[in-house]
Amino acid sequence: ERVGFAIVGLGRLALEEILPAFGESKKARPVALVSGSPEKMKTVAAQYGIDPANCYDYANFDRIRDNPAVKAVYIVLPNGMHREYVERAARAGKHVLCEKPMATSSADAQAMVDACAAASVKLMIAYRIQYEAYNLRLASLVRQQTFGRLVGMSAINVQTVAENGAQQWRHKRALSGGGSLPDIGLYCLNTARFLTGEEPVEIFATQYSPPNDPRYAEVEETLSFTLRFPSNVLVNCFTSYGARDDKCQRLNFEKATVDMPNAYLYEGQRMTVIQRQGDATGQTELVLQQPNQFTEELDHMAECVIGGQRPRTPGEEGVQDHKLMEAIYRAAESGQPVRLPPVEKPDAFR
Ligand code: NAD
């Protein structure tokens, strides 16, 4: 029996990626929908064979408590709404999968962790890159020191936004919590922590937003930050809404360079290893099986619900990212480095 999920919020990600990804899942299935738009919900329910009796709106969502078919709730709303819906799902006794960024502040994120702990339900944050085949392989190459010590990493996540997009929730601080950093720069931050298995101890940052552009009245356009980790791996990150789409990472090891030109895409990752071969420099393309990363993520949550394990990307992971993003903004605003106390990681490779 596959674990039944309720999907809360039928926006672009839910309709274009998450609902289709259930089609490949052997462990999870969509059984309920929550939306403010009855017409859209009716169409989507018919498309995925969801019982109209399992369709809720934002007001009667709490009645999901009485629906035993729903074991887990997937929150796919604007960031500023995550806390309220995670807490309501927890109070209804349902396990929760929440989209990234977890919230709009570390205080809200911590409150969400506490609410799920109090209700004895699991909380997982949808860090899909931690379930993606190429990034998983890269993490093990770092951990096994296959190419020697990891010396540095560069990570870029740039996504062009519409010129007339100022009214979109991503440009409203109350709903987004920030601009390019929490939306897409978070992939650079979270993946650097995932790949190294370490927590940064020092952060430098600087930012820029074009003046008089209504899209950047409340949130930043472009931000650059450097992370120093305890092992002295140095990581340069760059994120922006203002340039052509680019989602790449490059890792500089003692004995090789590993290049991923499309590291954070929904699919189609590639990986090239550049290293000395005899007297010349050789390039090897690593080709892996690549299951749908959204399906892998849903299946992991379903396994945790069935087996009672803690998710690999629990709420605490989201709290830590929010603390670090707050430190990044502090560094950018002050022009000073921000030093952070060392954090004990429970295990090296979660
Ligand atoms: P979207 O704008 O396409 O969808 C948001 C949905 O929320 C819409 O259906 C909208 O009707 C609904 N909504 C309810 N109340 C709203 C309000 N007050 N204002 C605006 N919308 C409201 O956004 P999206 O791109 O689907 O993003 C949803 C969440 O998923 C965000 O947290 C985002 O960061 C995350 N996301 C994650 C990924 C990923 O790769 N994991 C990709 C895109 C988005």
Side-chain angles (χ1 to χ4, degrees), residues 39 85 92 121 151 164 169 179 184 192 208 210-211 225 292 316 319 327:
E39 281 310 306
Y85 283 86
V121 297
V151 179
N164 60 358
W169 66 262
I184 51 176
Y208 174 74
F225 56 99
N292 181 321
E316 288 80 355
V319 175

Side-chain angles (χ1 to χ4, degrees), residues 8-15 17-18 35-37 40 58 74-82 99-101 126-128 159 168-170 175 182-183 187 264 266 293-294 297:
V8 186
L10 300 178
R12 258 191 90 169
L13 184 74
L15 295 180
E17 308 298 332
I18 295 168
S35 167
S37 160
K40 179 165 54 177
Y58 297 122
Y74 192 165
I75 310 296
V76 203
L77 291 165
N79 312 338
M81 299 174 76
H82 290 178
E99 260 309 326
K100 52 52 62 182
Y127 287 118
R128 59 181 170 77
Q159 197 160 298
Q168 223 261 359
W169 66 262
R170 283 183 166 79
L175 282 172
D183 192 25
Y187 285 91
Y264 311 127
Y266 294 157
Q293 57 189 277
F294 290 96
E297 176 184 282

Side-chain angles (χ1 to χ4, degrees), residues 128 340 347:
R128 59 181 170 77
L340 301 161
D347 38 44

